[in-house]
């Protein structure tokens, strides 16, 4: 059994699984079923519910006890007894069955329309009568009041065969070239047929006259008109006396009220394939329509999708058991498809075990398809060293990551982090040790995380225990597993220095005071009752009201004070940052082997000297400045006093200055004058070209 869940609707495929070939003996079949687990787990709803190659048509009898199915090859029809869950009989034909119709309430009478223009009427014992129509038939319908069988074919006529008289009656002539399908209204017996030109013609079987003609092609998408064709009507189905559904060759389903020529609504399958079957499900007010690819279930009132089924093979016909959730489909596959949808209704009585089976499956859901795969993101792939697998068959892209085989993931994880299992094992051992320690006598020990909160909770618990007559039970958060991480995980640590906590803390403390006061008042009240003391409630109420108003005033002031302190701290912090930025040296070395020397010590010395000089008086400062190079003069031309300053040099500058003066004095001693050299040059004779010149 395969469980599908499209649109959150559970659908159980009862035909899923392997099938055994017909040529295998019964002994080999039993041996395969014993050894193969897939055969053991499969559900065979009806035994031999299949055809050699494919099935073309499937229907249930009006009493719901038998199911007919036509298929090939060789062309045949099979009848299944649902009470026995097995095949009742099988009859082979000379040619393929196009359509068949069940005449009786059970399996005893049915009519088959074959593709070689022959009509076969079968009774309980076998083929009863065989006749032929002039053109190739496409559909048939039965009018029970007159015992007339209507046949539509690749022509403009509707052939009538009276089964009571055993002869053909006068045919009905239409204005179309070909007729594809036909149907009788189950209430008023209005005969309706759909043509290849997209027209819907309605006939009254009592007067054998046409009463209405509707052009349905104009109300459907003209997809075939672009290719030179017109949407044809391929299927018909009546729900009641007025509601009718038609399917077109372009994949639309139109719902009509017989009192109007305009459709109530239209549902498009969006595949462009001809509609092959339509069914109504009255309890849920749904419509089931199928083409060769998909079966869609949708609301009859607003065409909203309910769910859908895609079997993966070409669908040929649809059969829905009345007022149940079980349906069958004939398809181009040896096994005929059986689906059970619990939301549509309960299973039929002959297979009521399906309800129990589906309930067990819902309690124990089967493993998901993705259990064998692991979803990893791109960053996780890079950490595992598997980023080179992107684009290969080992990774399947999905949304923002990839699916990979769980075995490959575990191998890569063990290589990337070989000690992960050891850590996991240590944690598990520690957990087991802690579980065993729980049975011992416990000593109340405060946790390291949120210690103050734990103290408050313990105080509250002690207050409750002290109140003996209290029937109110207060849950202890410390012993509650839901809040265990609050006292073990550091991520849940309350930051008491944060702005939010400081603004909220006055309110919390006020609530704690109110709670404590409430318990104290209750204790006093109990004691007073025990001692038969009388209290004045009016005075107490006034005191409580006065206290509550005072408390509200005090905690509101405290909140404002905390807000002012926070703002003040922010201003001081900004000033400190600005001061540090100004005092920061203008140059520094970043390398570790070079150290900045003297900057901080010189700055400290300057600040220290400045502080000392600021404490001295003016007279002391003047006396200290006598030796600093400051010259005082009186009676000058520009005033009574003139002051000239010479910069004070430090010890190092004085040392350099003395060394320079010593060097200059030494140079002056060894320096020679050039006057003697000039006198000697003037006294020597002059020569020019070897001759003396005076």
């Amino acid at each position: 059994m395969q469980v599908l869940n499209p649109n959150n609707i559970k659908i159980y495929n009862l035909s899923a699984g392997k099938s055994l070939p017909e040529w295998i003996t019964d002994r080999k079949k039993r041996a395969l079923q014993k050894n193969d687990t897939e055969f053991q787990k499969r559900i065979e709803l009806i035994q031999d519910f299949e055809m050699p190659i494919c099935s073309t048509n499937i229907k249930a009898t009006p009493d719901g006890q038998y199911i007919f199915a036509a298929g090939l090859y060789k062309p045949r029809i099979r009848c299944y007894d649902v009470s026995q869950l097995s095949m009742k009989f099988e009859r082979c034909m000379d040619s393929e069955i196009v359509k068949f119709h069940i005449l009786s309430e059970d399996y005893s009478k049915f009519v088959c329309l074959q593709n070689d223009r022959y009509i076969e009427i079968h009774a309980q014992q076998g083929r009863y009568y065989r006749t032929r129509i002039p053109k190739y038939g496409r559909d048939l319908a039965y009018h029970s009041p007159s015992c007339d069988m209507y046949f539509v074919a690749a022509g403009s006529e509707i052939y009538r065969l009276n089964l009571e008289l055993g002869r053909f009656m006068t045919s009905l002539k239409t204005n179309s070239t070909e007729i594809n399908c036909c149907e009788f209204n189950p209430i008023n017996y209005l005969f309706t047929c759909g043509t290849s030109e997209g027209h819907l013609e309605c006939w009254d079987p009592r007067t054998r006259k046409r009463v209405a003609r509707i052009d349905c092609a104009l109300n459907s998408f003209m997809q075939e008109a672009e290719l030179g064709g017109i949407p044809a009507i391929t299927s018909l189905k009546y729900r009641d006396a007025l509601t009718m559904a038609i399917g077109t060759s372009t994949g639309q389903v139109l719902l009509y009220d017989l009192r109007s020529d305009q459709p109530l609504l239209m549902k498009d399958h969006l595949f462009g394939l001809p509609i092959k079957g339509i069914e109504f499900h009255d309890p849920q007010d749904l419509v089931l329509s199928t083409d060769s690819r998909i079966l869609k279930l949708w609301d009859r009132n607003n065409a909203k999708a309910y769910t859908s089924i895609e079997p993966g093979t070409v669908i040929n016909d649809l059969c829905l058991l009345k007022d149940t959730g079980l349906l069958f489909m004939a398809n181009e596959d040896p096994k005929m498809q059986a689906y059970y949808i619990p939301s549509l209704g309960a299973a039929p009585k002959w297979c009521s075990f399906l309800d129990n089976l589906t309930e067990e499956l819902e309690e124990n859901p089967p493993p998901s398809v993705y259990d064998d795969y692991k979803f990893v993101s791109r960053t996780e792939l890079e950490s595992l060293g598997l980023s080179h697998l992107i684009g290969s068959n080992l990774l399947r892209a999905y949304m923002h990551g990839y699916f990979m085989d769980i075995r490959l993931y575990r191998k890569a994880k063990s290589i990337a982090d070989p000690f992960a299992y050891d850590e996991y094992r240590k944690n598990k051992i520690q957990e087991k040790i802690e579980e065993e320690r729980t049975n011992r006598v416990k000593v109340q020990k405060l946790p390291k995380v949120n210690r103050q909160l734990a103290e408050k909770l313990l105080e509250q618990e002690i207050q409750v225990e002290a109140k003996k007559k209290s029937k109110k039970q207060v849950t202890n958060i410390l012993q509650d597993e839901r809040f265990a991480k609050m006292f073990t995980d550091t991520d849940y640590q309350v930051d008491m220095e944060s702005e939010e906590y400081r603004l909220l803390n006055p309110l919390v403390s006020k609530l704690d005071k109110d709670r404590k006061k409430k318990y104290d008042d209750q204790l006093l009240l109990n004691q007073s009752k025990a001692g038969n003391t009388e209290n004045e409630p009016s005075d107490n109420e006034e005191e409580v009201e006065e206290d509550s108003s005072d408390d509200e005033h005090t905690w509101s002031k405290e909140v404002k004070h905390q807000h002012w302190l926070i703002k003040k701290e922010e201003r001081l912090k900004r000033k400190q940052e600005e001061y540090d930025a100004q005092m920061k040296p203008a140059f520094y070395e970043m390398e570790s082997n070079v150290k900045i020397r003297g900057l901080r010590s010189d700055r400290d010395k300057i600040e220290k000297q400045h502080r000392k000089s600021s404490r001295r008086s003016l007279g002391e400062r003047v006396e200290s400045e006598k030796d600093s190079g400051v010259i005082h003069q009186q009676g000058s031309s520009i005033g009574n006093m003139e002051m000239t300053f010479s910069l004070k040099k430090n010890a190092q500058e004085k040392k350099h200055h003395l060394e320079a003066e010593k060097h200059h004095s030494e140079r002056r001693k060894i320096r020679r004058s050039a006057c003697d050299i000039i006198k000697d040059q003037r006294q020597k004779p002059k020569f020019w070209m070897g001759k003396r010149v005076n």
Side-chain angles (χ1 to χ4, degrees):
M1 179 188 292
Q2 184 181 3
V3 183
L4 307 175
N5 195 18
N7 204 15
N8 295 326
I9 302 296
K10 288 289 184 66
I11 301 174
Y12 297 92
N13 185 2
L14 306 179
S15 303
K18 295 181 179 179
S19 59
L20 297 173
E22 293 183 350
W23 47 267
I24 294 180
T25 60
D26 294 338
R27 181 178 295 179
K28 289 185 178 181
K29 287 181 181 180
R30 288 193 295 269
L32 286 173
Q33 291 175 359
K34 289 180 181 179
N35 299 328
D36 199 336
T37 56
E38 292 188 12
F39 284 114
Q40 295 175 2
K41 292 180 180 179
R42 68 171 184 163
I43 294 177
E44 193 173 8
L45 185 62
I46 300 175
Q47 188 178 2
D48 298 329
F49 195 63
E50 57 187 13
M51 289 289 172
I53 295 179
C54 66
S55 52
T56 56
N57 294 278
I58 187 168
K59 281 186 180 180
T61 56
D63 60 1
Q65 296 299 315
Y66 301 93
I67 298 173
F68 280 86
L72 45 100
Y73 182 81
K74 297 180 179 181
R76 66 191 69 196
I77 189 168
R78 288 180 174 179
C79 177
Y80 296 92
D81 189 352
V82 296
S83 60
Q84 302 297 324
L85 298 178
S86 61
M87 185 171 60
K88 186 173 183 64
F89 64 84
E90 177 185 13
R91 295 176 187 175
C92 292
M93 307 289 177
D94 296 334
S95 59
E96 181 182 347
I97 297 174
V98 178
K99 295 282 185 178
F100 66 88
H101 188 82
I102 301 169
L103 300 176
S104 60
E105 292 292 325
D106 55 3
Y107 69 94
S108 57
K109 296 177 183 178
F110 60 93
V111 179
C112 297
L113 176 63
Q114 299 177 356
N115 64 350
D116 59 351
R117 297 187 295 157
Y118 274 97
I119 300 168
E120 288 190 2
I121 302 172
H122 285 252
Q124 188 172 358
Q125 70 277 5
R127 189 173 70 184
Y128 180 79
Y129 182 71
R130 189 168 187 255
T131 185
R132 199 174 187 184
I133 57 177
K135 294 186 178 180
Y136 293 99
R138 299 204 175 160
D139 201 358
L140 71 165
Y142 179 62
H143 184 236
S144 57
S146 62
C147 295
D148 285 345
M149 181 67 68
Y150 285 66
F151 301 95
V152 295
S156 60
E157 294 184 357
I158 301 172
Y159 305 107
R160 297 190 302 142
L161 175 63
N162 189 281
L163 301 182
E164 184 180 7
L165 301 176
R167 65 184 181 88
F168 281 97
M169 309 300 289
T170 305
S171 300
L172 305 177
K173 294 184 179 180
T174 63
N175 296 331
S176 62
T177 57
E178 293 181 355
I179 305 174
N180 295 328
C181 56
C182 62
E183 182 78 14
F184 270 104
N185 191 303
I187 306 300
N188 52 32
Y189 293 105
L190 181 69
F191 179 74
T192 309
C193 59
T195 66
S196 59
E197 290 85 1
H199 293 161
L200 192 71
E201 295 189 5
C202 299
W203 295 76
D204 188 353
R206 297 170 298 180
T207 59
R208 296 183 297 279
K209 292 182 180 179
R210 187 173 61 194
V211 295
R213 189 169 185 264
I214 302 173
D215 190 356
C216 301
L218 296 176
N219 299 314
S220 62
F221 290 112
M222 301 295 291
Q223 294 179 357
E224 289 190 2
E226 298 177 359
L227 303 175
I230 298 174
I233 298 175
T234 56
S235 59
L236 283 172
K237 187 66 178 180
Y238 275 100
R239 178 179 177 268
D240 49 30
L242 298 176
T243 307
M244 174 184 59
I246 67 169
T248 65
S249 60
T250 54
Q252 289 87 33
V253 180
L254 306 176
L255 283 182
Y256 276 92
D257 191 315
L258 293 182
R259 295 168 292 186
S260 173
D261 59 350
Q262 297 296 325
L264 300 175
L265 59 86
M266 180 183 66
K267 176 68 174 179
D268 193 355
H269 276 218
L270 302 175
F271 287 109
L273 301 173
I275 303 298
K276 292 193 173 183
I278 302 174
E279 294 285 348
F280 287 95
H281 191 271
D282 294 334
Q284 298 288 338
D285 206 7
L286 298 176
V287 180
L288 289 78
S289 57
T290 179
D291 54 22
S292 59
R293 182 173 178 178
I294 190 172
L295 167 65
K296 289 193 175 186
L297 291 81
W298 43 280
D299 195 340
R300 184 178 65 87
N301 299 313
N302 52 19
K304 184 179 179 181
Y306 182 74
T307 187
S308 61
I309 302 174
E310 290 189 70
T313 59
V314 177
I315 304 172
N316 292 326
D317 198 7
L318 172 66
C319 174
L320 175 66
L321 298 185
K322 188 177 180 181
D323 298 334
T324 65
L326 187 65
L327 57 93
F328 302 102
M329 283 191 289
N331 56 5
E332 296 290 330
D333 195 70
K335 295 183 71 173
M336 288 178 283
Q337 301 293 321
Y339 292 92
Y340 176 52
I341 308 176
S343 59
L344 294 184
K349 292 182 179 179
W350 52 271
C351 60
S352 58
F353 59 88
L354 287 177
D355 292 327
N356 300 329
L357 188 62
T358 53
E359 288 177 3
E360 292 177 2
L361 288 175
E362 289 179 359
E363 292 176 359
N364 301 318
S368 176
V369 179
Y370 296 104
D371 287 349
D372 295 333
Y373 292 88
K374 172 71 176 177
F375 180 80
V376 292
S377 61
R378 184 180 287 270
T379 56
E380 193 172 357
L381 274 178
E382 292 176 355
S383 63
L384 294 174
L386 300 178
S387 57
H388 62 281
L389 297 179
I390 297 175
S392 64
N393 296 330
L394 298 175
L395 297 177
R396 183 178 292 274
Y398 183 76
M399 295 180 69
H400 62 281
Y402 304 90
F403 275 110
M404 65 183 301
D405 197 299
I406 189 66
R407 295 170 294 179
L408 177 61
Y409 174 79
R410 287 171 181 168
K411 287 181 181 180
K413 189 73 174 175
S414 61
I415 294 171
D417 191 3
F419 300 104
Y421 177 74
D422 296 337
E423 294 178 0
Y424 171 77
R425 186 169 177 271
K426 288 180 182 179
N427 294 333
K428 283 294 182 182
I429 292 171
Q430 189 65 28
E431 289 178 2
K432 288 185 178 180
I433 291 171
E434 294 295 334
E435 289 177 1
E436 292 177 357
R437 286 178 179 174
T438 54
N439 299 325
R440 303 178 185 177
V441 178
K442 291 184 179 179
V443 179
Q444 195 67 39
K445 187 177 179 181
L446 293 175
K448 295 181 181 180
V449 181
N450 291 328
R451 190 183 185 89
Q452 293 184 359
L453 178 61
E455 289 177 356
K456 288 183 181 179
L457 294 174
L458 286 175
E459 290 177 1
Q460 180 182 352
E461 187 178 1
I462 292 169
Q463 290 175 2
V464 172
E465 290 178 356
K467 189 178 173 183
K468 296 180 180 179
K469 294 185 179 181
S470 176
K471 297 181 181 179
K472 187 177 178 181
Q473 295 182 357
V474 180
T475 57
N476 190 2
I477 298 178
L478 292 171
Q479 298 176 359
D480 198 337
E481 295 180 356
R482 297 175 296 174
F483 305 99
K485 286 188 177 181
M486 192 173 177
F487 303 99
T488 57
D489 195 349
T490 55
D491 293 338
Y492 295 94
Q493 177 66 45
V494 178
D495 187 8
M496 296 185 179
E497 300 298 328
S498 63
E499 180 180 349
E500 293 81 3
Y501 182 81
R502 291 175 63 181
L503 293 175
L504 187 65
N505 189 33
L507 180 62
V508 174
S509 61
K510 190 258 177 186
L511 293 175
D512 292 339
K513 288 179 182 178
D514 292 345
R515 192 183 296 111
K516 186 176 180 181
K517 186 176 181 181
K518 184 178 179 182
Y519 281 117
D520 293 340
D521 293 342
Q522 190 69 25
L523 283 172
L524 291 172
L525 185 63
N526 293 334
Q527 291 175 3
S528 64
K529 286 182 180 178
N532 296 324
T533 59
E534 295 181 358
N535 297 325
E536 295 181 1
S538 60
D539 297 339
N540 293 336
E541 289 176 0
E542 290 177 359
E543 291 176 0
V544 170
E545 289 178 358
E546 290 177 359
D547 293 341
S548 63
S549 62
D550 293 340
D551 291 339
E552 290 177 359
H553 184 66
T554 54
W555 75 258
S556 62
K557 289 176 67 177
E558 183 66 24
V559 170
K560 292 179 181 178
H561 180 64
Q562 289 291 335
H563 185 72
W564 178 78
L565 287 176
I566 290 169
K567 295 295 184 183
K568 184 178 179 181
E569 289 175 1
E570 289 179 355
R571 289 196 297 270
L572 292 174
K573 187 177 179 181
R574 282 199 304 269
K575 288 182 179 180
Q576 185 66 29
E577 290 177 355
E578 292 175 358
Y579 178 75
D580 292 341
Q582 291 176 0
M583 298 301 294
K584 189 175 181 181
F587 60 92
Y588 54 87
E589 296 291 335
M590 296 298 295
E591 300 193 4
S592 59
N593 57 353
V594 180
K595 296 183 179 179
I596 302 172
R597 300 178 181 178
L599 295 175
R600 188 174 296 277
S601 61
D602 292 342
R603 186 179 64 182
D604 296 340
K605 287 179 182 179
I606 293 168
E607 290 179 356
K608 190 174 181 180
Q609 291 175 2
H610 180 69
R611 286 197 298 270
K612 285 182 180 180
S613 61
S614 62
R615 295 194 191 99
R616 291 184 296 177
S617 63
L618 181 60
E620 293 176 352
R621 294 181 190 176
V622 171
E623 290 294 331
S624 63
E625 290 177 355
K626 286 182 179 180
D627 300 331
S628 62
V630 181
I631 302 171
H632 302 271
Q633 294 180 358
Q634 293 183 357
S636 64
S637 61
I638 60 174
N640 294 331
M641 181 177 289
E642 182 180 351
M643 299 177 65
T644 59
F645 296 89
S646 63
L647 295 176
K648 187 177 179 180
K649 299 179 180 179
N650 55 18
Q652 190 173 4
E653 290 178 349
K654 287 180 179 180
K655 184 179 178 181
H656 285 300
H657 182 66
L658 293 174
E659 289 178 355
E661 286 183 352
K662 185 178 179 182
H663 176 70
H664 289 313
S665 62
E666 290 177 354
R667 294 292 296 175
R668 283 195 293 270
K669 289 179 182 180
I670 64 173
R671 187 175 62 180
R672 293 182 300 170
S673 177
C675 295
D676 298 337
I677 299 172
I678 295 171
K679 289 179 181 181
D680 294 341
Q681 290 291 334
R682 287 176 180 176
Q683 293 175 2
K684 288 182 179 181
K686 298 180 181 178
F687 295 90
W688 175 255
M689 298 295 290
K691 294 180 181 181
R692 182 173 180 179
V693 179
N694 293 326

